[in-house]
Amino acid sequence: MKLDRMNGQKRSDYCGTLTKEAIGKEITVCGWVQRQRDLGGLIFVDLRDRTGVLQLAFDDTTDPAVFEKASALRSEFVVMASGVIRMRSSINKDIPTGEIELEVKDLKILGEAETPPFEILSETDVKEELRLKYRYLDLRRTPLQNNIMLRHKIVKTTRDYFDENGFIEIETPTLIKSTPEGARDYLVPSRVHKGSFFALPQSPQMYKQLLMLSGFDRYMQIARCYRDEDLRADRQPEFTQIDLEMSFVEMEDVFSIAEGYIKRLFSEVMNIDIPTPLPRLTYTDAMENYGSDKPDTRFDMKIVDLTDIVKDCGFAVFSDTVKNGGVVKAINAKNAAGVYTRKEIDKLNEEAKGIGAKGLAFIRWNEDAPTCSFSKFMTDEEMQAIYERMGTEKGDVILIICDKKNTALSVLGALRLTVAKRLDIIPNGFNFLWITEFPFFEYNEETGGWDAMHHPFTSPLDECIPYLETAPEKVFAKAYDLVLNGVELSSGSIRITDPELQAQMFRALGLTDEEAQTKFGFLTNAFKYGAPPHGGMGIGLDRLVMLMAGADSIRDVIAFPKVANSSELMSGAPAEVDEIQLRDLAINIDTKE
């Protein structure tokens, strides 16, 4: 088939924007054929563009040459159609343009299409691997197009808000020096400096701090970041963050700017009012109550401490755990007894073991009296005390973990989410939460030492500075996370600007003066020339869009995402390169395993 040319003809309207007000109007639309229905002397074509679908109509009044073209149309052909908008004889209430159609006077076939490997439908059960291999086709589907356009609106609102609040958008380098930031770096070999490597930034952290020292006062960037780490539904090896830094501020100032942004964003993009100020929890309270430093607070089911009740009980699993410094914690799954049979509870037990617990004890009240996996070892008074502490009622299931405190809390935090999803008790909505006062260090049981929980420029709370090198467990940070519906959206902190305190911090992290100078000297040297107090944060754009779109994975809000092994199925990246390129870089590939 010979393809038509546009010959200077232009599109006048998008398919999905047309309404009854356009009846009688001559228009030209362009797009892809969703489907063609040939009824003999009548042909209907659903034409799709990024705004929606419009029905094209061809009948016995249509020019025979145009009608013949329409009969040749197949799914995903690219066409330009001109004509007059008229009322449809049969209204389709499922689409916004369902009351009108285009009576086609002229039709141009601009591109033919082979039969695609899957049908381009809004809802599909096609395997994701196949859709990602043909991502350019998958992106034609309405849900993904809506997600990408939502992302555009979010980015536009973001730039407008921060511009109006005095922030300057500045690009920072993407070829930088490799510095330890928690995850593995992606390395880029240098052709000129053989044997040396650039790294792709895990964040613009040091550069944005240097911008504060440069006097720019308020910086923001829609920043591309890279981390060579294992993937999951809300993590990609390359991602985007809304990065910001402010001078002459304290933590409350950062909160105020961030909350203003969230309020503006949800109002403009979603027409939703987010009440501010946003609620806050300390890290300690979040862990004690929810077993997570990113709790989903849309439902209750808080963790309850039973340690004092069972510390001297006859059930050795409980009492011995307490004697050895452990704890006994529990959650109450209200009205869950009808769903959580003994078989279902056994599945929870396996899940608990899989994430570090020794086992799961339970109380299930489905009949006249509660049944319990350990009651024969307990006195009536002890059981009654547990029932009262847990607020136990008929229909409830009590899930109990006894272990080291951190293990018990984290396991119950995970079970809390599993149970809530199974019971379908998580309401729709957007629950924001600040988590504050993070521990500065985390004890490493394997090494017997203390590891930093944050990058080394995070400032400790003033009252904790005396304990930096003597009692790391007492040190808490001027660090904060913004959480939305159980997903960490942002991390930030007030930074260290005192060179002496920074040197003390490096020592506390086990770095010698020489190591600190080698890794971070270009930043710490800058502090000697007048560093303003500053702090900031980075908001995960991909996760934010995912949650606002109601998507299940950030892959659904990124145009060309990676899969679990960090490869991109469409282009085949990463791929081998030829020997000439490797020689230029002085690289030899060791094929031995």
Side-chain angles (χ1 to χ4, degrees), residues 88-103:
R88 284 175 61 153
S89 58
S90 177
I91 293 176
N92 181 355
K93 295 182 179 180
D94 294 332
I95 58 174
T97 60
E99 295 180 291
I100 59 174
E101 64 187 11
L102 180 65
E103 180 185 359

Side-chain angles (χ1 to χ4, degrees), residues 530-576:
H534 59 274
M537 60 194 298
I539 301 172
L541 176 63
D542 311 292
R543 293 181 181 181
L544 180 61
V545 180
M546 176 186 74
L547 292 168
M548 293 177 73
D552 295 326
S553 166
I554 61 172
R555 291 191 296 274
D556 293 335
V557 300
I558 296 173
F560 300 101
K562 306 292 190 292
V563 294
N565 65 2
S566 298
S567 66
E568 195 227 291
L569 299 182
M570 186 190 67
S571 68
E576 295 180 356

Side-chain angles (χ1 to χ4, degrees), residues 301-302 304 306 330-342 344-346 348-349 360-367 370-374 386-387 390-400 412 415-416 419 422-423:
M301 207 187 303
K302 292 181 180 178
V304 178
L306 302 177
I331 55 175
N332 183 350
K334 304 295 291 183
N335 303 309
V339 173
Y340 277 100
T341 62
R342 179 58 191 266
E344 291 286 325
I345 292 174
D346 287 343
L348 284 180
N349 184 39
L360 176 70
F362 71 90
I363 301 167
R364 179 173 177 265
W365 192 352
N366 195 43
E367 306 299 335
T371 57
C372 177
S373 61
F374 56 88
I386 291 175
Y387 297 152
M390 298 303 304
T392 314
E393 300 173 313
K394 186 173 182 178
D396 294 350
V397 174
I398 311 299
L399 304 174
I400 306 172
L412 284 172
L415 293 182
R416 175 179 176 269
V419 171
R422 180 74 172 82
L423 297 178

Side-chain angles (χ1 to χ4, degrees), residues 117-119 123-131:
F118 53 86
E119 194 173 359
E123 301 300 325
T124 181
D125 58 1
V126 176
K127 289 184 178 180
E128 188 182 34
E129 289 79 5
L130 181 62
R131 290 190 287 110

Side-chain angles (χ1 to χ4, degrees), residues 27-259:
I27 69 160
T28 298
V29 290
C30 301
W32 285 260
V33 173
Q34 180 72 33
R35 63 172 178 160
Q36 185 246 43
R37 304 183 300 285
D38 192 335
L39 307 178
L42 191 63
I43 296 175
F44 293 111
V45 173
D46 291 339
L47 188 68
R48 181 191 71 242
D49 64 22
R50 64 181 172 89
T51 65
V53 173
L54 177 66
Q55 179 169 284
L56 311 183
F58 307 82
D59 54 29
D60 55 5
T61 66
T62 305
D63 181 281
V66 173
F67 195 92
E68 184 179 353
K69 281 187 182 180
S71 67
L73 294 180
R74 299 292 180 266
S75 294
E76 303 310 314
F77 273 37
V78 181
V79 303
M80 171 182 279
S82 301
V84 178
I85 293 293
R86 69 186 184 189
M87 284 291 294
R88 284 175 61 153
S89 58
S90 177
I91 293 176
N92 181 355
K93 295 182 179 180
D94 294 332
I95 58 174
T97 60
E99 295 180 291
I100 59 174
E101 64 187 11
L102 180 65
E103 180 185 359
V104 179
K105 302 299 183 184
D106 182 55
L107 178 69
K108 288 182 170 62
I109 299 178
L110 304 176
E112 292 182 285
E114 296 180 3
T115 301
F118 53 86
E119 194 173 359
I120 312 299
L121 299 172
S122 290
E123 301 300 325
T124 181
D125 58 1
V126 176
K127 289 184 178 180
E128 188 182 34
E129 289 79 5
L130 181 62
R131 290 190 287 110
L132 287 173
K133 182 177 180 180
Y134 296 93
R135 184 62 167 181
Y136 46 87
L137 297 179
D138 196 32
L139 284 171
R140 293 182 188 177
R141 296 194 304 114
T142 299
L144 290 186
Q145 290 205 336
N146 287 344
N147 289 349
I148 298 301
M149 289 189 285
L150 174 67
R151 185 182 180 117
H152 162 74
K153 292 178 183 177
I154 290 170
V155 169
K156 182 183 183 306
T157 301
T158 299
R159 285 195 161 104
D160 289 346
Y161 172 81
F162 285 107
D163 176 62
E164 292 165 15
N165 282 276
F167 285 78
I168 302 169
E169 184 167 2
I170 306 174
E171 294 180 351
T172 54
T174 53
L175 292 174
I176 67 171
K177 181 180 181 179
S178 178
T179 56
E181 288 200 39
R184 287 182 295 273
D185 285 331
Y186 278 101
L187 300 177
V188 180
S190 170
R191 178 185 59 82
V192 176
H193 304 279
K194 289 181 170 55
S196 296
F197 295 80
F198 296 104
L200 300 181
Q202 295 185 33
S203 77
Q205 184 61 48
M206 285 179 284
Y207 286 98
K208 68 179 182 180
Q209 288 192 247
L210 286 168
L211 288 170
M212 295 302 100
L213 274 67
S214 302
F216 283 101
D217 189 63
R218 290 190 170 195
Y219 140 95
M220 72 82 58
Q221 182 182 187
I222 308 295
R224 297 292 285 168
C225 306
Y226 307 84
R227 292 183 181 180
D228 186 3
E229 57 188 353
D230 296 333
L231 305 193
R232 57 190 184 207
D234 63 351
R235 179 184 288 170
Q236 283 274 298
E238 53 179 325
F239 58 96
T240 307
Q241 70 182 33
I242 302 162
D243 201 48
L244 57 131
E245 196 79 7
M246 306 163 61
S247 290
F248 308 108
V249 295
E250 296 178 327
M251 194 164 65
E252 293 298 331
D253 302 299
V254 180
F255 283 9
S256 178
I257 281 290
E259 290 180 358

Side-chain angles (χ1 to χ4, degrees), residues 296-301 416-429 485:
D296 191 335
T297 55
R298 289 175 294 174
F299 63 101
D300 196 15
M301 207 187 303
R416 175 179 176 269
L417 290 175
T418 297
V419 171
K421 291 174 183 175
R422 180 74 172 82
L423 297 178
D424 194 23
I425 61 171
I426 305 177
N428 292 326
N485 295 353

